[in-house]
Amino acid sequence: MYHHSSGTAQSPAGSAGLLAERPADSIEYQRCGWCGTAMYQRLLCPVCQGSDLRTERSEGIGTVRHSTTVHRNSPAARNVSLVELAEGFVVRGRVMGPPIGIHSGDRVRLSTAKDPVRGEPVFQLLDESCRAWT
């Protein structure tokens, strides 16, 4: 809710406590109450178009499904990855590490729920030390 006289955003009563309890290393997603589909930041279920979406918290463990290197709008090359989390939804984010060293099938863990610059989740590789570089 926005209060015009002070120019600052104010939250409704009771919502400040919910934000304080949320751990920094988790990501929230929705699950459809009708068909059980998990999704990230949607208004309606993409399967049944239901609006009964419950908010749940993910553990942040997933697998890279696709990764690409982007060279625009940044001083250095960065990666953009699609990560499928264990709960069954896909999220776009960034995986820390050299862009050439990130491959489909790599296991990742959520490092930060929001990148301060781009506002997307940031992941780190789980099996980096055990994997042979190709």
Side-chain angles (χ1 to χ4, degrees), residues 16-113:
L18 293 175
L19 293 175
E21 294 174 9
R22 185 177 151 223
D25 61 349
S26 68
I27 191 167
E28 291 182 348
Y29 67 100
Q30 296 94 5
R31 187 170 299 278
C32 180
W34 289 92
C35 68
T37 301
M39 67 214 78
Y40 183 66
Q41 295 183 345
R42 301 294 290 262
L43 296 175
L44 296 174
C45 175
V47 175
C48 70
Q49 301 300 311
S51 62
D52 180 25
L53 304 179
R54 293 172 283 145
T55 301
E56 297 182 10
R57 187 167 289 132
S58 169
E59 294 296 322
I61 305 293
T63 305
V64 175
R65 287 294 163 221
H66 179 75
S67 184
T68 188
T69 304
V70 178
H71 296 278
R72 68 172 188 235
N73 296 334
S74 66
R78 63 182 176 89
N79 74 350
V80 175
S81 300
L82 293 178
V83 177
E84 182 178 355
L85 284 109
E87 291 80 11
F89 65 98
V90 176
V91 64
R92 183 184 122 171
R94 181 171 62 89
V95 178
M96 293 189 296
I100 197 163
I102 300 162
H103 304 286
S104 296
D106 287 345
R107 292 176 23 119
V108 293
R109 173 186 310 242
L110 185 68
S111 174
T112 306

